[in-house]
Amino acid sequence: MAARAGRCCRAGLSCGALLSPALLSPAVLSRAPATPRWGRAAFSSAPAVSGREGPQAREGSVRRRGRTLQFVRSAAPPRTERMAVDQDWSSVYPTAAAFKPASVPLPIRMGYPVKGGVPPPKEGNLELIKIPNFLHLTPPAIKKHCAALKDFCTEWPSALDSDEKCEQHFPIEIETVDYVSSGTSIRNPKARVVTLRVKLSSLNLDDHAKKKLIKLVGERYCQETDVLTITTDRCPLRRQNYDYSMHLLTVLYHESWKTEKWESEKSEEDMEEYVWENSHSQKNALDTLLRIKASENVSNVTKEELLASEVVKNYRNSVIALKNEGETESNISQYKESVKKLLNIQA
Amino acid sequence: MAARRVAGGCWQRALCLGRRCRLPGGRESYRSSSSTSALGKTVDNSQVTQEEIVLPRRKTWDKLAVLQALASTVNRDPTAAHYMFQDDPFLMPRNAANARLYSLSKESGRNAAKYIIKNFPQYFDKTFAEPNVPCLMPESLTPQTEGVSEGALRERIHLRLVKESVDMFDQLLQAGTPVSLETTNSLLDLLCFYGGGEPTPQKEQEEKEGLEEPEVNASEQKAPKRQFQRGSQSSGPKWRENNHAERIFKVMPERNAHSYCTMIRGMVKHEAYSKAYDMYIDLLNERHKADVHTFNALIRAVPYLKERFPERWELAKEFLTHMAQQKVQPTLLTFNSVLKSLRRCGGVGRAVSLSVLKEMEALDIEPSLASYDHLLSMFYKGADPQSSDIISEVLNEVEKRSFTAQDPDDANFFNTAMQVCCDLKDIKLAYQLNRALEKGDNWKFLDVDRLNGYWSKFFSLLCMMEQIEVVLKWYKEMSSSLFYPSPKNILDLLQALDAANQLEVIPSVWEDVKQLGFSRIPDVLEEFLSLMSRDQHPSEIQLAFAKCAEDIKAVHEPAGPGQVPLEWTGSALGHVVVLFSRAGRTQDAWNMMEHFQKINRIPTDKVMDEFLNCAKQTNCPDEAIKMVKLAASLGLLSSQRLKSRMEKEFELSETQKKALESIKWDGDSSDSDSDSSDSDSE
């Protein structure tokens, strides 16, 4: 933005440079009547300049040349010299503007240095004009802006004094983006996108519904943070997208509570995670244990007792860890220990 | 999160992160739906915490409120020029004339752009802006309706095509088609507004500006024209006998009050006052009623209808009684017109103006700045300024209120009031006025020209009445950001410095003067030089003074092609020599001394003494001898005294002594003819 304004300013400068020789040269003035349209434009500006002379305006080109020469002048000293050390900087740079070397009292250098030298100074330095600057957004300026804008803010509800409470009372988070630019259009197609975030734990779901919901949303659910993210951008307006994302959430919720007929056909391979209960592993382990007990002539040992025993629980946990978390060194060694204890093997 | 930026340069992301309450309505509906709600769990929790969450109501504000709030954080930058100018040392205006030229150039560029858009609308057919900005798009200025009909006439009137409308009206008349009263009236409106002539584009511009922004831009634009037209003393075409408006008015089959009112207003606007009065009599004879604007116009015309002051007031009163009879409610502008007319009634005006204000109060109409302006000029212009303390009453009143523009004359108030303060030499009143100006949007009443006038007067008053520290503080604050000092302001400042014995500030003032481009004004130069050379100062101040003197010397010497050097005056030359001498720059001083001979002037004794002192201090007896020689050749009486001083004070070598002796001999011999040259030069 700043860069564009800067270019504009340069254009103005060069235009002035082009104009002044044109004003000086009598050839242009004499040629003017030949081109009627521009001639009129040139003429209409003439009274503005010579109007102050009043009756002497007629005295012709000699006089005019004398006047134009008065405009040839040197530049004034930069106003940084007159600036007080404690001046109010936000008044010097109130808005975004291109870098103005005569208004910035800093010894800035920028650009490619000459060999063995330093980068060029700020005066007439294009590199400094090109880059966007934030001279108008100094921390004191932002503080002032915030203080001025405070009147437009509503008071924060006192009951919501922590993030946890906010999450608890307002579990749904909507994110939209407004775009500000220095273009001809105030519209931006990207402003219609709406992102909805909600923690699954804040929804009223049972185990089945939760698993189904996760299956339904696929990659929109983040396992680590337990957050479901719905981004909608298919409608042309933000409001429509917002409504659509709410609709999606509602539909997902109700859909996940339904249990279809075919869900009973869910087999061990379809499970989201390994469940030890009623698995092959449990059956085999119990079988083995019962036969061991039988061979040791220890009767009246029920399955329930076995399941409640420490070694079996230990074994169960290590198997679950191995299946759900993968084969890590600690898992493997834990599994080894539990198997040894289960079978009562001394090594 | 806000730090996440979209690639692609100029887009800035403003992130809006909103947490929204899931369910509309209050807590009741929230709870009742808890069994089916997706957020039942949350509801349970909130019942547990038992805390009341009060959601604040959404605030609404008007479109500009945020921008205005942000703008209120910015103050005036005392080192910068007005924001309309380029903030660049080369392009910033240096003085009032420059500022005016630059602002006019900018405006003229704008006009040129408008001209192009107006005349070549075919090239501006795309609407790039989203949403579209209609005022930036070319207006359609060519009438769409073809043929001769009343509709076509109405369209031409709407497009303000004066000549075409009149032609169309004539054609309709010849064809025998009756034109409705309404359309004829709007045609009359158009003709009376432009005084029966075709508006030139420039004039149209002026009129439009005048209509839309009475005080902000208008005079800025009008300023050059005003000077252009000063000879004719009019702002528009005069009302001509039997112009189109009168002709059409005469051929109208029926006329209503509106037709008469329009004619009266047009005639007053274009300075046909007695005709307007006759028209008003006609209106009364036809038993119509005039509207309030017509009465305002008539009251404004009063000073031109009657010669003597009491008669004028009688006539104005007559109009007012007519208003009462016709049950027309007077407005603020009515009373302002009365006051404006009373300005031209001398003592009568002073006598009755206060009762006019009372009447306003009785009708519950608050006076605008224009009313006060008229009041002040009635009481203080031409009259004995000490006569009343009405100004302080007015200022007390003004300070209490904030004003909006209601009358075109509102803009004059601050300048008039400051002029009165200056005439009364009352700094307290001036401060009070300034406070009033700074209040609210009152600053809007001053455009660039008036701003300069106002501050220039204020500054002169400050220089006259205030402590020097305060003056310098104001000077630093205002100079070149609020106004550009005039040469008179600089002279005032110098006098203030002199009075406060703060001459060491002069070099910095001189720098400003150079920037302002006043370094070629003889009065200013003379004042600077005489102040600097009057007393002896510490050496560092003298050095700074000598630098100024060097600048002044440069002005008097041919610098570049086309730069005509200023003519030396004897006193200026003497001052420069003194300044150089006191700074110990003997060689420069001698160079200046030589100029005396070139311009046929004589150095004063003081100048020569100073030079001799300097030569003594810097041990340059040669220059001293040359000076004595010069004095002798000019045949001055003091040459003898100078010579004896030299012999006493200087340690001279043999050759130098000889040279000195020879001068004496020269001086003696040339005594007789130097007398004659003396009388020549004097």
Side-chain angles (χ1 to χ4, degrees):
Chain A
M1 183 163 66
R4 189 175 306 158
R7 220 170 301 138
C8 187
C9 167
R10 294 309 297 178
L13 268 177
S14 64
C15 184
L18 281 173
L19 266 178
S20 55
L23 275 175
L24 281 171
S25 97
V28 172
L29 280 177
S30 66
R31 217 191 302 134
T35 53
R37 250 183 234 294
W38 291 108
R40 197 200 286 174
F43 186 72
S44 72
S45 73
V49 175
S50 59
R52 285 186 290 140
E53 288 170 37
Q56 287 156 355
R58 296 199 144 263
E59 279 185 30
S61 61
V62 182
R63 172 121 185 110
R64 188 165 300 161
R65 197 176 302 162
R67 279 191 65 80
T68 42
L69 276 171
Q70 273 193 5
F71 295 136
V72 180
R73 62 206 188 107
S74 58
R79 67 193 182 98
T80 48
E81 287 175 9
R82 283 183 288 136
M83 286 175 176
V85 269
D86 57 345
Q87 71 171 343
D88 175 22
W89 177 250
S90 57
S91 305
V92 182
Y93 256 82
T95 51
F99 181 83
K100 290 176 278 191
S103 313
V104 181
L106 304 171
I108 303 173
R109 289 171 172 275
M110 175 138 173
Y112 192 79
V114 288
K115 200 173 177 193
V118 287
K122 61 179 178 174
E123 285 85 9
N125 193 332
L126 264 185
E127 297 303 318
L128 276 170
I129 294 175
K130 276 193 266 179
I131 53 165
N133 65 56
F134 286 91
L135 290 167
H136 61 295
L137 287 181
T138 50
I142 292 176
K143 254 181 214 153
K144 273 188 191 175
H145 294 173
C146 291
L149 293 178
K150 213 156 209 168
D151 297 338
F152 298 100
C153 303
T154 51
E155 206 184 328
W156 188 256
S158 56
L160 297 175
D161 49 1
S162 66
D163 281 356
E164 290 75 40
K165 275 190 187 164
C166 290
E167 236 164 63
Q168 176 198 332
H169 294 290
F170 300 98
I172 296 179
E173 195 179 301
I174 301 288
E175 186 189 320
T176 55
V177 185
D178 291 316
Y179 292 85
V180 184
S181 74
S182 64
T184 50
S185 169
I186 61 166
R187 320 247 185 261
N188 189 319
K190 282 182 266 179
R192 73 182 197 284
V193 181
V194 173
T195 307
L196 179 152
R197 280 195 203 89
V198 64
K199 272 203 172 173
L200 280 199
S201 58
S202 55
L203 295 178
N204 188 18
L205 297 168
D206 68 355
D207 189 50
H208 163 260
K210 187 176 176 188
K211 278 179 182 158
K212 189 168 176 186
L213 187 69
I214 291 169
K215 264 265 191 301
L216 284 172
V217 297
E219 63 181 4
R220 292 176 189 82
Y221 174 71
C222 175
Q223 187 99 47
E224 283 166 29
T225 52
D226 189 34
V227 171
L228 165 64
T229 309
I230 299 175
T231 305
T232 48
D233 60 354
R234 59 175 57 186
C235 303
L237 295 182
R238 174 187 291 174
R239 176 78 214 176
Q240 295 166 340
N241 278 319
Y242 169 76
D243 289 344
Y244 179 54
S245 61
M246 281 309 191
H247 165 77
L248 279 181
L249 184 64
T250 319
V251 168
L252 277 171
Y253 176 78
H254 290 290
E255 196 60 37
S256 53
W257 269 102
K258 284 182 197 160
T259 311
E260 302 287 345
K261 257 198 318 230
W262 41 262
E263 284 185 44
S264 57
E265 298 164 16
K266 195 176 181 184
S267 63
E268 201 172 321
E269 288 78 46
D270 300 323
M271 290 294 174
E272 291 80 11
E273 58 183 357
Y274 183 80
V275 181
W276 192 70
E277 283 73 25
N278 301 326
S279 65
H280 277 293
S281 168
Q282 186 193 24
K283 217 176 88 194
N284 290 343
L286 287 180
D287 261 8
T288 315
L289 280 179
L290 283 176
R291 268 189 278 140
I292 289 173
K293 298 284 177 198
S295 65
E296 287 172 358
N297 289 325
V298 183
S299 56
N300 64 32
V301 177
T302 60
K303 276 190 181 183
E304 286 68 37
E305 276 175 48
L306 276 177
L307 277 179
S309 68
E310 192 61 31
V311 276
V312 176
K313 266 189 187 167
N314 220 347
Y315 176 70
R316 168 186 172 270
N317 288 343
S318 58
V319 170
I320 288 175
L322 197 64
K323 290 274 188 184
N324 280 342
E325 291 168 27
E327 296 184 5
T328 62
E329 202 162 320
S330 65
N331 282 348
I332 293 280
S333 61
Q334 199 190 339
Y335 179 66
K336 174 181 155 194
E337 292 303 319
S338 63
V339 170
K340 273 156 105 181
K341 273 191 190 143
L342 187 73
L343 301 180
N344 208 5
I345 301 169
Q346 261 76 37
Chain B
M1 213 175 293
R4 244 197 294 155
R5 288 192 52 143
V6 177
C10 63
W11 292 106
Q12 288 183 342
R13 273 176 64 139
L15 198 73
C16 161
L17 193 73
R19 287 167 187 277
R20 297 198 185 172
C21 182
R22 186 55 246 284
L23 291 168
R27 271 178 65 134
E28 266 59 52
S29 69
Y30 205 84
R31 233 179 257 165
S32 64
S33 63
S34 65
S35 57
T36 56
S37 162
L39 297 169
K41 201 171 139 194
T42 316
V43 174
D44 290 342
N45 283 346
S46 71
Q47 276 170 338
V48 169
T49 51
Q50 285 294 322
E51 262 181 304
E52 187 82 26
I53 297 172
V54 187
L55 289 188
R57 287 189 68 82
R58 185 187 178 138
K59 282 187 184 175
T60 51
W61 50 80
D62 74 310
K63 286 175 186 169
L64 290 177
V66 172
L67 287 179
Q68 277 161 351
L70 287 178
S72 69
T73 64
V74 180
N75 303 315
R76 188 173 55 81
D77 179 6
T79 57
H82 192 274
Y83 66 84
M84 88 168 114
F85 301 115
Q86 291 283 333
D87 187 8
D88 181 278
F90 190 79
L91 298 170
M92 263 206 278
R94 307 274 184 83
N95 49 36
N98 265 349
R100 177 194 210 129
L101 182 66
Y102 290 4
S103 58
L104 287 176
S105 319
K106 200 161 182 182
E107 202 53 46
S108 118
R110 217 169 265 154
N111 285 343
K114 271 185 198 153
Y115 174 85
I116 295 290
I117 290 180
K118 234 183 206 172
N119 285 277
F120 304 97
Q122 68 267 32
Y123 300 128
F124 300 92
D125 53 348
K126 290 206 171 53
T127 55
F128 292 106
E130 177 67 38
N132 190 23
V133 186
C135 67
L136 296 181
M137 300 307 287
E139 307 163 50
S140 74
L141 285 176
T142 45
Q144 306 293 315
T145 333
E146 295 293 323
V148 180
S149 67
E150 202 179 318
L153 175 60
R154 267 204 295 272
E155 190 183 6
R156 275 156 185 75
I157 292 170
H158 183 72
L159 293 174
R160 299 189 181 196
L161 302 169
V162 175
K163 198 165 176 305
E164 286 178 46
S165 312
V166 172
D167 289 349
M168 179 73 73
F169 182 79
D170 289 344
Q171 282 170 16
L172 282 170
L173 214 62
Q174 276 163 15
T177 327
V179 183
S180 73
L181 180 64
E182 198 185 327
T183 313
T184 321
N185 275 343
S186 58
L187 177 60
L188 272 186
D189 285 345
L190 180 70
L191 288 174
C192 288
F193 185 75
Y194 288 117
E198 180 79 12
T200 60
Q202 217 178 3
K203 220 178 288 159
E204 200 178 19
Q205 185 69 29
E206 191 181 338
E207 302 284 8
K208 268 191 194 165
E209 295 280 350
L211 280 178
E212 286 155 11
E213 303 172 84
E215 88 291 340
V216 181
N217 253 341
S219 78
E220 194 181 315
Q221 291 219 338
K222 279 182 199 160
K225 287 170 204 154
R226 203 165 48 205
Q227 277 174 342
F228 213 46
Q229 295 164 341
R230 193 159 278 168
S232 65
Q233 192 72 44
S234 78
S235 57
K238 292 226 174 165
W239 192 267
R240 274 174 293 120
E241 192 71 38
N242 268 332
N243 62 9
H244 290 307
E246 272 187 38
R247 190 170 56 80
I248 289 171
F249 184 75
K250 271 178 198 153
V251 300
M252 275 170 79
E254 48 164 344
R255 303 157 191 154
N256 64 1
H258 185 96
S259 332
Y260 281 101
C261 291
T262 302
M263 285 301 281
I264 293 170
R265 289 173 70 185
M267 284 167 171
V268 171
K269 182 179 174 189
H270 298 287
E271 299 173 22
Y273 302 110
S274 52
K275 274 193 168 195
Y277 188 67
D278 295 343
M279 187 63 78
Y280 177 64
I281 301 293
D282 286 352
L283 174 137
L284 289 184
N285 289 339
E286 294 284 328
R287 298 181 180 285
H288 288 306
K289 282 181 181 177
D291 61 359
V292 62
H293 302 290
T294 311
F295 276 116
N296 294 351
L298 282 169
I299 290 169
R300 274 200 303 279
V302 160
Y304 308 96
L305 291 172
K306 295 281 186 226
E307 278 299 314
R308 291 180 47 234
F309 293 156
E311 283 178 7
R312 287 179 179 176
W313 171 234
E314 286 306 318
L315 187 60
K317 258 206 304 208
E318 192 187 320
F319 285 133
L320 289 174
T321 41
H322 284 191
M323 281 179 86
Q325 280 163 12
Q326 298 180 24
K327 297 204 170 51
V328 179
Q329 191 65 31
T331 61
L332 170 73
L333 289 179
T334 312
F335 286 106
N336 280 356
S337 307
V338 172
L339 288 169
K340 195 172 182 178
S341 296
L342 284 177
R343 276 171 80 157
R344 289 165 162 260
C345 292
V348 183
R350 270 191 290 277
V352 294
S353 59
L354 292 179
S355 56
V356 172
L357 278 189
K358 288 254 163 60
E359 185 67 24
M360 289 174 85
E361 210 174 299
L363 282 170
D364 212 14
I365 294 173
E366 291 212 311
S368 78
L369 286 178
S371 331
Y372 294 127
D373 177 41
H374 297 320
L375 205 64
L376 288 183
S377 31
M378 242 181 277
F379 276 88
Y380 291 95
K381 281 222 174 107
D384 179 21
Q386 255 64 25
S387 62
S388 64
D389 56 347
I390 208 146
I391 172 94
S392 56
E393 279 177 44
V394 166
L395 285 183
N396 287 337
E397 205 59 39
V398 168
E399 221 180 3
K400 271 184 228 154
R401 295 172 47 200
S402 71
F403 293 88
T404 51
Q406 287 168 295
D407 187 309
D409 289 329
D410 277 352
N412 294 329
F413 170 77
F414 285 103
N415 277 27
T416 312
M418 189 46 88
Q419 184 60 53
V420 172
C421 292
C422 279
D423 292 343
L424 296 175
K425 291 199 172 52
D426 193 332
I427 190 75
K428 272 192 193 129
L429 284 180
Y431 278 133
Q432 199 182 355
L433 179 66
N434 203 40
R435 272 203 304 278
L437 175 68
E438 277 163 4
K439 204 177 154 208
D441 283 345
N442 284 354
W443 57 272
K444 285 184 183 167
F445 287 104
L446 292 181
D447 56 51
V448 173
D449 278 348
R450 292 202 176 95
L451 200 68
N452 240 331
Y454 173 87
W455 285 108
S456 172
K457 279 175 211 150
F458 187 32
F459 186 68
S460 287
L461 187 62
L462 280 173
C463 287
M464 230 184 295
M465 310 299 294
E466 258 304 353
Q467 300 280 331
I468 190 69
E469 292 82 24
V470 185
V471 174
L472 286 176
K473 201 171 139 265
W474 275 102
Y475 176 70
K476 224 177 148 194
E477 277 284 304
M478 305 192 299
S479 156
S480 82
S481 70
L482 266 181
F483 84 116
Y484 297 93
S486 65
K488 185 178 172 301
N489 291 138
I490 294 294
L491 290 179
D492 288 339
L493 178 64
L494 286 179
Q495 272 162 15
L497 287 174
D498 184 22
N501 209 7
Q502 290 246 344
L503 293 180
E504 64 271 13
V505 192
I506 285 185
S508 72
V509 179
W510 170 250
E511 284 300 312
D512 293 345
V513 167
K514 269 202 296 184
Q515 283 308 315
L516 286 164
F518 295 157
S519 57
R520 297 174 63 83
I521 297 176
D523 292 350
V524 177
L525 287 186
E526 191 63 34
E527 184 72 17
F528 264 104
L529 285 173
S530 63
L531 279 181
M532 286 193 294
S533 63
R534 201 180 52 199
D535 300 313
Q536 182 84 37
H537 293 278
S539 58
E540 57 264 36
I541 296 178
Q542 283 299 345
L543 283 177
F545 281 2
K547 261 200 195 114
C548 299
E550 201 169 1
D551 288 333
I552 293 172
K553 179 187 142 204
V555 173
H556 289 82
E557 279 165 2
Q563 286 268 2
V564 187
L566 225 57
E567 289 285 329
W568 278 110
T569 62
S571 56
L573 207 50
H575 292 315
V576 173
V577 171
V578 169
L579 286 171
F580 278 145
S581 308
R582 285 191 190 145
R585 293 163 68 166
T586 320
Q587 195 54 48
D588 289 327
W590 171 246
N591 289 345
M592 287 292 100
M593 280 300 256
E594 281 180 324
H595 274 85
F596 275 109
Q597 229 164 359
K598 284 184 205 157
I599 60 161
N600 288 326
R601 294 285 190 282
I602 307 166
T604 59
D605 288 352
K606 183 190 166 200
V607 172
M608 289 188 289
D609 283 336
E610 287 285 351
F611 182 74
L612 217 57
N613 290 344
C614 162
K616 191 180 134 200
Q617 271 168 16
T618 54
N619 202 12
C620 301
D622 284 340
E623 264 72 27
I625 291 168
K626 277 192 220 162
M627 203 274 296
V628 177
K629 213 187 262 176
L630 177 77
S633 71
L634 287 172
L636 297 181
L637 295 175
S638 55
S639 62
Q640 200 63 42
R641 188 177 55 83
L642 290 172
K643 189 190 149 242
S644 55
R645 246 192 87 182
M646 277 211 66
E647 281 165 347
K648 255 187 261 167
E649 296 176 16
F650 284 77
E651 288 178 18
L652 298 170
S653 64
E654 280 307 307
T655 48
Q656 283 165 339
K657 268 182 190 159
K658 245 178 222 163
L660 201 61
E661 287 307 307
S662 67
I663 298 166
K664 193 213 164 192
W665 182 80
D666 280 349
D668 278 347
S669 74
S670 63
D671 242 4
S672 52
D673 43 36
S674 77
D675 274 342
S676 62
S677 73
D678 231 20
S679 56
D680 278 352
S681 67
E682 276 164 13

